[in-house]
């Protein structure tokens, strides 16, 4: 719902909007691939705290971004924290 006003503010093209919407899945793939290793090493609670911090950092980056690369980085970090 907020993609259109945000995309209009940043002047994003249709391809950039699609990339923004889908890059979270790339972060989630990496999170899934390496998440089990962290759970086995650190335990469940520390892993949840790390992923929660990544998600919050991604949200903060998206909320304060002023450029397209920062927007993608924030979305990727949200995927890592998912």
């Amino acid at each position: 719902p907020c993609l259109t006003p945000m995309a209009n503010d940043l002047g994003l093209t249709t391809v950039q909007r699609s990339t923004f919407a889908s890059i979270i899945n790339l972060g989630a793939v990496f999170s899934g691939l390496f998440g089990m290793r962290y759970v086995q090493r650190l335990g469940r609670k520390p892993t949840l705290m790390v992923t929660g911090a990544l998600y919050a950092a991604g949200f903060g980056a998206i909320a304060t971004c002023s450029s397209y690369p920062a927007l993608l980085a924030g979305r990727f970090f949200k995927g890592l924290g998912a």
Side-chain angles (χ1 to χ4, degrees):
C2 66
L3 179 60
T4 302
M6 181 175 58
N8 291 339
D9 288 344
L10 293 173
L12 301 181
T13 65
T14 304
V15 172
Q16 289 174 325
R17 290 177 190 199
S18 298
T19 304
F20 170 75
S22 62
I23 198 164
I24 194 169
N25 296 321
L26 184 62
V29 166
F30 284 111
S31 178
L33 288 174
F34 300 110
M36 184 54 80
R37 290 183 186 176
Y38 292 123
V39 169
Q40 289 175 350
R41 285 187 188 167
L42 302 175
R44 288 185 317 233
K45 289 182 183 178
T47 301
L48 283 173
M49 291 172 19
V50 168
T51 57
L54 286 171
Y55 191 86
F59 182 78
I62 291 171
T64 60
C65 78
S66 60
S67 68
Y68 179 65
L71 189 69
L72 289 181
R75 188 77 166 174
F76 182 78
F77 278 111
K78 282 185 73 173
L80 286 177

